[in-house]
Amino acid sequence: MSGLAGITARVAAAAEKAGRDAAEIDLIAVSKVQPLARVEAVLDEGHRIFGENRVQEAQGKWPALRDRYGDISLHLIGPLQTNKVKAAMDLFDVIQTLDRNRLAVKIATEAQERGSCPDLYVQVNTGEESQKAGIAPGEADAFIARCREEYDLPIIGVMAIPPADEPPIPHFDLLAQIAERNGLSHLSMGMSADFEEAIAYGATAVRVGSAIFGARVPGVPTGAATSG
Ligand SMILES: *Cc1c(COP(=O)(O)O)cnc(C)c1O
């Protein structure tokens, strides 16, 4: 058994405490770097929403798992290089890490060609950390408007990964404000350590890895070719 049932119960309790409907909160099981057996266990328990942070790793395991388990919703939650856009659009139902103009142009061009596009979130670097992906908070409104109006991209929400060494709530609050003023209904925030607080601040998607699957063990085969 994974930690899935316990986390599902905690999501429901946090929703209730916040006066929200748990059905409006997606639990994204973050399966990156997890041994395949653990991922299969969570699929066998009936879960169908998963997150991966590397295109190449996801390519190595999800096509086969989709064939076996059917209607999976797969979210890209890690940085996307422009040369991996096609592969990402082939594989993912949702891309949560749109964070720069060049990437927006590339996705828009590809979307035009195929006549379809995954749902998109704009990633916001709420902590303005130099090493972290995401658009700066002060540039978010203009970027979101440009993606929608100029590139006609299906932006449905915003996503953030708060700094590891700061209380997350101010970051959740900032992201919620950006969503609100841009009329976006989806908010991806909260991980294993803080998903209940994120739900209190309006998260509609929480990304939980280790609390469901157990600690990530580097070096254990994941069923994917490693991308280095
Ligand atoms: C790995 C990862 C998570 C899950 O982290 P846990 O602490 O294991 O829950 C969530 N979001 C992103 C973007 C990640 O890369």
Side-chain angles (χ1 to χ4, degrees):
M1 281 291 276
S2 70
L4 178 67
I7 298 302
T8 303
R10 283 171 59 189
V11 166
E16 183 170 355
K17 196 170 157 205
R20 303 181 53 203
D21 181 357
E24 72 183 31
I25 301 161
D26 283 338
L27 173 58
I28 301 176
V30 178
S31 48
K32 67 183 185 201
V33 204
Q34 292 289 351
L36 193 59
R38 290 187 187 172
V39 182
E40 288 168 338
V42 169
L43 282 158
D44 287 336
E45 288 174 68
H47 197 72
R48 290 294 179 270
I49 310 176
F50 291 83
E52 288 282 346
N53 72 336
R54 286 185 171 192
V55 175
Q56 201 172 334
E57 182 186 336
Q59 271 178 322
K61 62 182 152 177
W62 283 102
L65 290 171
R66 265 193 213 281
D67 285 347
R68 282 167 55 199
Y69 290 94
D71 61 339
I72 284 157
S73 175
L74 195 60
H75 294 236
L76 179 63
I77 61 170
L80 178 56
Q81 297 165 260
T82 46
N83 66 359
K84 298 244 170 79
V85 161
K86 280 184 194 224
M89 289 174 72
D90 285 342
L91 187 60
F92 289 93
D93 304 286
V94 182
I95 295 174
Q96 294 202 1
T97 50
L98 172 55
D99 66 348
R100 59 198 190 279
N101 193 62
R102 218 162 85 81
L103 183 59
V105 169
K106 181 87 184 180
I107 293 174
T109 306
E110 187 60 30
Q112 197 117 67
E113 256 170 51
R114 51 180 82 190
S116 70
C117 189
D119 285 336
L120 302 172
Y121 287 67
V122 167
Q123 181 177 357
V124 183
N125 186 358
T126 58
E128 306 197 51
E129 297 171 278
S130 56
Q131 81 285 6
K132 198 168 272 176
I135 189 111
E139 295 167 22
D141 294 359
F143 181 62
I144 290 165
R146 187 171 193 185
C147 286
R148 290 164 138 176
E149 289 154 25
E150 265 182 59
Y151 307 138
D152 201 22
L153 289 171
I155 309 292
I156 65 164
V158 283
M159 175 271 213
I161 311 167
D165 57 352
E166 286 181 27
I169 285 180
H171 298 275
F172 295 159
D173 197 26
L174 174 58
L175 193 68
Q177 287 174 33
I178 292 170
E180 165 98 54
R181 67 174 182 250
N182 287 283
L184 293 168
S185 57
H186 289 70
L187 261 181
S188 173
M189 57 191 197
M191 314 192 343
S192 289
D194 54 21
F195 67 89
E196 284 145 321
E197 285 122 303
I199 288 169
Y201 278 79
T204 62
V206 292
R207 310 178 307 264
V208 180
S210 43
I212 292 176
F213 294 101
R216 287 181 284 277
V217 214
V220 173
T222 60
T226 50
S227 55

PDB file of all heavy atoms in Angstrom, residues 195-213:
ATOM      1  N   PHE A 195       0.733  20.882   1.585  1.00  0.00           N
ATOM      2  CA  PHE A 195      -0.445  20.906   0.708  1.00  0.00           C
ATOM      3  C   PHE A 195      -1.725  21.330   1.442  1.00  0.00           C
ATOM      4  O   PHE A 195      -2.634  21.901   0.840  1.00  0.00           O
ATOM      5  CB  PHE A 195      -0.635  19.557  -0.020  1.00  0.00           C
ATOM      6  CG  PHE A 195      -0.990  18.395   0.864  1.00  0.00           C
ATOM      7  CD1 PHE A 195      -2.310  18.102   1.155  1.00  0.00           C
ATOM      8  CD2 PHE A 195       0.000  17.593   1.397  1.00  0.00           C
ATOM      9  CE1 PHE A 195      -2.646  17.018   1.975  1.00  0.00           C
ATOM     10  CE2 PHE A 195      -0.312  16.508   2.210  1.00  0.00           C
ATOM     11  CZ  PHE A 195      -1.639  16.231   2.503  1.00  0.00           C
ATOM     12  N   GLU A 196      -1.775  21.086   2.762  1.00  0.00           N
ATOM     13  CA  GLU A 196      -2.983  21.499   3.489  1.00  0.00           C
ATOM     14  C   GLU A 196      -3.093  23.026   3.564  1.00  0.00           C
ATOM     15  O   GLU A 196      -4.168  23.592   3.380  1.00  0.00           O
ATOM     16  CB  GLU A 196      -3.003  20.860   4.883  1.00  0.00           C
ATOM     17  CG  GLU A 196      -3.388  19.375   4.775  1.00  0.00           C
ATOM     18  CD  GLU A 196      -2.692  18.473   5.765  1.00  0.00           C
ATOM     19  OE1 GLU A 196      -1.486  18.684   6.024  1.00  0.00           O
ATOM     20  OE2 GLU A 196      -3.354  17.547   6.272  1.00  0.00           O
ATOM     21  N   GLU A 197      -1.946  23.693   3.807  1.00  0.00           N
ATOM     22  CA  GLU A 197      -1.955  25.165   3.802  1.00  0.00           C
ATOM     23  C   GLU A 197      -2.318  25.684   2.412  1.00  0.00           C
ATOM     24  O   GLU A 197      -3.047  26.669   2.272  1.00  0.00           O
ATOM     25  CB  GLU A 197      -0.583  25.723   4.197  1.00  0.00           C
ATOM     26  CG  GLU A 197      -0.287  25.620   5.676  1.00  0.00           C
ATOM     27  CD  GLU A 197       0.980  24.817   5.924  1.00  0.00           C
ATOM     28  OE1 GLU A 197       1.039  23.644   5.470  1.00  0.00           O
ATOM     29  OE2 GLU A 197       1.901  25.352   6.564  1.00  0.00           O
ATOM     30  N   ALA A 198      -1.788  25.029   1.382  1.00  0.00           N
ATOM     31  CA  ALA A 198      -2.084  25.464   0.007  1.00  0.00           C
ATOM     32  C   ALA A 198      -3.587  25.374  -0.270  1.00  0.00           C
ATOM     33  O   ALA A 198      -4.170  26.264  -0.903  1.00  0.00           O
ATOM     34  CB  ALA A 198      -1.300  24.612  -0.997  1.00  0.00           C
ATOM     35  N   ILE A 199      -4.210  24.318   0.239  1.00  0.00           N
ATOM     36  CA  ILE A 199      -5.663  24.159   0.044  1.00  0.00           C
ATOM     37  C   ILE A 199      -6.412  25.281   0.764  1.00  0.00           C
ATOM     38  O   ILE A 199      -7.372  25.838   0.237  1.00  0.00           O
ATOM     39  CB  ILE A 199      -6.111  22.758   0.505  1.00  0.00           C
ATOM     40  CG1 ILE A 199      -5.621  21.710  -0.507  1.00  0.00           C
ATOM     41  CG2 ILE A 199      -7.641  22.687   0.675  1.00  0.00           C
ATOM     42  CD1 ILE A 199      -5.748  20.270  -0.052  1.00  0.00           C
ATOM     43  N   ALA A 200      -5.929  25.663   1.944  1.00  0.00           N
ATOM     44  CA  ALA A 200      -6.564  26.770   2.673  1.00  0.00           C
ATOM     45  C   ALA A 200      -6.483  28.062   1.872  1.00  0.00           C
ATOM     46  O   ALA A 200      -7.353  28.928   1.976  1.00  0.00           O
ATOM     47  CB  ALA A 200      -5.897  26.947   4.035  1.00  0.00           C
ATOM     48  N   TYR A 201      -5.437  28.198   1.043  1.00  0.00           N
ATOM     49  CA  TYR A 201      -5.267  29.419   0.241  1.00  0.00           C
ATOM     50  C   TYR A 201      -5.814  29.271  -1.177  1.00  0.00           C
ATOM     51  O   TYR A 201      -5.559  30.119  -2.022  1.00  0.00           O
ATOM     52  CB  TYR A 201      -3.795  29.857   0.247  1.00  0.00           C
ATOM     53  CG  TYR A 201      -3.506  30.630   1.511  1.00  0.00           C
ATOM     54  CD1 TYR A 201      -3.293  29.964   2.721  1.00  0.00           C
ATOM     55  CD2 TYR A 201      -3.542  32.023   1.521  1.00  0.00           C
ATOM     56  CE1 TYR A 201      -3.097  30.661   3.896  1.00  0.00           C
ATOM     57  CE2 TYR A 201      -3.346  32.734   2.697  1.00  0.00           C
ATOM     58  CZ  TYR A 201      -3.128  32.045   3.875  1.00  0.00           C
ATOM     59  OH  TYR A 201      -2.952  32.752   5.037  1.00  0.00           O
ATOM     60  N   GLY A 202      -6.535  28.195  -1.439  1.00  0.00           N
ATOM     61  CA  GLY A 202      -7.250  28.107  -2.715  1.00  0.00           C
ATOM     62  C   GLY A 202      -6.674  27.164  -3.748  1.00  0.00           C
ATOM     63  O   GLY A 202      -7.144  27.151  -4.895  1.00  0.00           O
ATOM     64  N   ALA A 203      -5.661  26.352  -3.410  1.00  0.00           N
ATOM     65  CA  ALA A 203      -5.092  25.426  -4.399  1.00  0.00           C
ATOM     66  C   ALA A 203      -6.183  24.565  -5.027  1.00  0.00           C
ATOM     67  O   ALA A 203      -7.061  24.056  -4.327  1.00  0.00           O
ATOM     68  CB  ALA A 203      -4.044  24.523  -3.741  1.00  0.00           C
ATOM     69  N   THR A 204      -6.130  24.409  -6.342  1.00  0.00           N
ATOM     70  CA  THR A 204      -7.026  23.465  -7.024  1.00  0.00           C
ATOM     71  C   THR A 204      -6.250  22.253  -7.528  1.00  0.00           C
ATOM     72  O   THR A 204      -6.833  21.307  -8.031  1.00  0.00           O
ATOM     73  CB  THR A 204      -7.744  24.121  -8.217  1.00  0.00           C
ATOM     74  OG1 THR A 204      -6.760  24.527  -9.171  1.00  0.00           O
ATOM     75  CG2 THR A 204      -8.577  25.319  -7.781  1.00  0.00           C
ATOM     76  N   ALA A 205      -4.924  22.307  -7.420  1.00  0.00           N
ATOM     77  CA  ALA A 205      -4.074  21.162  -7.744  1.00  0.00           C
ATOM     78  C   ALA A 205      -2.922  21.160  -6.760  1.00  0.00           C
ATOM     79  O   ALA A 205      -2.208  22.162  -6.636  1.00  0.00           O
ATOM     80  CB  ALA A 205      -3.550  21.266  -9.174  1.00  0.00           C
ATOM     81  N   VAL A 206      -2.775  20.071  -6.013  1.00  0.00           N
ATOM     82  CA  VAL A 206      -1.625  19.933  -5.121  1.00  0.00           C
ATOM     83  C   VAL A 206      -0.730  18.836  -5.693  1.00  0.00           C
ATOM     84  O   VAL A 206      -1.215  17.856  -6.248  1.00  0.00           O
ATOM     85  CB  VAL A 206      -2.038  19.624  -3.658  1.00  0.00           C
ATOM     86  CG1 VAL A 206      -2.747  20.823  -3.043  1.00  0.00           C
ATOM     87  CG2 VAL A 206      -2.917  18.379  -3.556  1.00  0.00           C
ATOM     88  N   ARG A 207       0.575  19.045  -5.591  1.00  0.00           N
ATOM     89  CA  ARG A 207       1.542  18.129  -6.206  1.00  0.00           C
ATOM     90  C   ARG A 207       2.278  17.381  -5.102  1.00  0.00           C
ATOM     91  O   ARG A 207       3.152  17.928  -4.451  1.00  0.00           O
ATOM     92  CB  ARG A 207       2.535  18.926  -7.058  1.00  0.00           C
ATOM     93  CG  ARG A 207       1.870  19.909  -8.042  1.00  0.00           C
ATOM     94  CD  ARG A 207       2.924  20.697  -8.810  1.00  0.00           C
ATOM     95  NE  ARG A 207       3.887  21.340  -7.940  1.00  0.00           N
ATOM     96  CZ  ARG A 207       3.813  22.614  -7.525  1.00  0.00           C
ATOM     97  NH1 ARG A 207       2.841  23.407  -7.921  1.00  0.00           N
ATOM     98  NH2 ARG A 207       4.738  23.089  -6.712  1.00  0.00           N
ATOM     99  N   VAL A 208       1.901  16.138  -4.893  1.00  0.00           N
ATOM    100  CA  VAL A 208       2.423  15.397  -3.741  1.00  0.00           C
ATOM    101  C   VAL A 208       3.188  14.168  -4.219  1.00  0.00           C
ATOM    102  O   VAL A 208       2.626  13.310  -4.900  1.00  0.00           O
ATOM    103  CB  VAL A 208       1.276  14.997  -2.790  1.00  0.00           C
ATOM    104  CG1 VAL A 208       1.828  14.221  -1.604  1.00  0.00           C
ATOM    105  CG2 VAL A 208       0.513  16.234  -2.321  1.00  0.00           C
ATOM    106  N   GLY A 209       4.472  14.121  -3.867  1.00  0.00           N
ATOM    107  CA  GLY A 209       5.317  12.998  -4.266  1.00  0.00           C
ATOM    108  C   GLY A 209       5.630  12.070  -3.123  1.00  0.00           C
ATOM    109  O   GLY A 209       4.985  11.036  -2.924  1.00  0.00           O
ATOM    110  N   SER A 210       6.609  12.447  -2.319  1.00  0.00           N
ATOM    111  CA  SER A 210       7.128  11.531  -1.303  1.00  0.00           C
ATOM    112  C   SER A 210       6.073  11.085  -0.291  1.00  0.00           C
ATOM    113  O   SER A 210       6.118   9.944   0.183  1.00  0.00           O
ATOM    114  CB  SER A 210       8.330  12.155  -0.597  1.00  0.00           C
ATOM    115  OG  SER A 210       8.094  13.509  -0.303  1.00  0.00           O
ATOM    116  N   ALA A 211       5.113  11.920   0.037  1.00  0.00           N
ATOM    117  CA  ALA A 211       4.100  11.520   1.024  1.00  0.00           C
ATOM    118  C   ALA A 211       3.187  10.420   0.479  1.00  0.00           C
ATOM    119  O   ALA A 211       2.555   9.698   1.246  1.00  0.00           O
ATOM    120  CB  ALA A 211       3.267  12.726   1.461  1.00  0.00           C
ATOM    121  N   ILE A 212       3.135  10.271  -0.839  1.00  0.00           N
ATOM    122  CA  ILE A 212       2.345   9.180  -1.428  1.00  0.00           C
ATOM    123  C   ILE A 212       3.223   7.960  -1.682  1.00  0.00           C
ATOM    124  O   ILE A 212       2.874   6.837  -1.315  1.00  0.00           O
ATOM    125  CB  ILE A 212       1.690   9.626  -2.760  1.00  0.00           C
ATOM    126  CG1 ILE A 212       0.618  10.679  -2.494  1.00  0.00           C
ATOM    127  CG2 ILE A 212       1.098   8.414  -3.510  1.00  0.00           C
ATOM    128  CD1 ILE A 212      -0.025  11.244  -3.754  1.00  0.00           C
ATOM    129  N   PHE A 213       4.373   8.199  -2.321  1.00  0.00           N
ATOM    130  CA  PHE A 213       5.191   7.073  -2.814  1.00  0.00           C
ATOM    131  C   PHE A 213       6.281   6.640  -1.850  1.00  0.00           C
ATOM    132  O   PHE A 213       6.898   5.594  -2.024  1.00  0.00           O
ATOM    133  CB  PHE A 213       5.869   7.467  -4.129  1.00  0.00           C
ATOM    134  CG  PHE A 213       4.920   7.699  -5.265  1.00  0.00           C
ATOM    135  CD1 PHE A 213       4.553   8.975  -5.651  1.00  0.00           C
ATOM    136  CD2 PHE A 213       4.375   6.625  -5.957  1.00  0.00           C
ATOM    137  CE1 PHE A 213       3.680   9.191  -6.700  1.00  0.00           C
ATOM    138  CE2 PHE A 213       3.499   6.832  -7.003  1.00  0.00           C
ATOM    139  CZ  PHE A 213       3.146   8.112  -7.379  1.00  0.00           C
TER     140      PHE A 213
END
